[in-house]
Amino acid sequence: MMGDEVRTTSFRPSPNDYVYTTYCRKAFCSDWEAIQDAAQKAHIGLWSHPAPVSPWSYRRGKSADQKETSPQTRGPVTFHGNTSSHVFHKPGCRYYDCKNCTRVFQTRDEAIKAGYRPCGSCKP
């Protein structure tokens, strides 16, 4: 299977790619992970979104409640607090627009000072 190996190693990931580390066990995977880490730190490509969704999560429907917008039309990040459970969520969280998430916070610190705790799923 020399042809498959050549085709695989000639691929170069971009800042818009995820590395699926569970299955990527070849020597070149560490290079791909370095490219992904650099893109995450620089907030470029898909990493410029406040809550990027991995392809495998997207396929499982984990982003069904997420409303995608372009970076140009996106306003400042706000957090939604659930007035019942006192848990707050960041944009992109599946609980962000729940029926009890009516309290809006401009910052994470503002939510914590109001007695809300961070969501365990989105970890704002």
Side-chain angles (χ1 to χ4, degrees), residues 21-77:
T21 55
T22 302
Y23 296 108
C24 194
R25 297 291 179 213
K26 302 279 185 182
F28 52 79
C29 292
S30 61
D31 295 337
W32 292 1
E33 289 173 12
I35 292 169
Q36 177 176 285
D37 291 342
Q40 283 176 314
K41 288 177 183 154
H43 301 287
I44 58 174
L46 70 89
W47 304 105
S48 63
H49 191 277
V53 178
S54 65
W56 46 92
S57 294
Y58 181 81
R59 284 191 299 271
R60 280 185 263 150
K62 296 227 176 166
S63 64
D65 297 332
Q66 184 174 353
K67 295 174 178 70
E68 295 285 337
T69 57
S70 68
Q72 291 80 17
T73 61
R74 201 178 319 134
V77 174

Side-chain angles (χ1 to χ4, degrees), residues 58-115:
Y58 181 81
R59 284 191 299 271
R60 280 185 263 150
K62 296 227 176 166
S63 64
D65 297 332
Q66 184 174 353
K67 295 174 178 70
E68 295 285 337
T69 57
S70 68
Q72 291 80 17
T73 61
R74 201 178 319 134
V77 174
T78 57
F79 300 92
H80 285 184
N82 184 317
T83 56
S84 221
S85 64
H86 284 78
V87 173
F88 69 97
H89 312 278
K90 69 181 179 183
C93 180
R94 65 183 179 161
Y95 302 112
Y96 184 75
D97 289 320
C98 76
K99 69 176 184 174
N100 292 325
C101 292
T102 56
R103 182 87 186 261
V104 177
F105 301 103
Q106 299 304 315
T107 66
R108 183 180 195 280
D109 289 337
E110 180 185 351
I112 291 172
K113 286 178 184 172

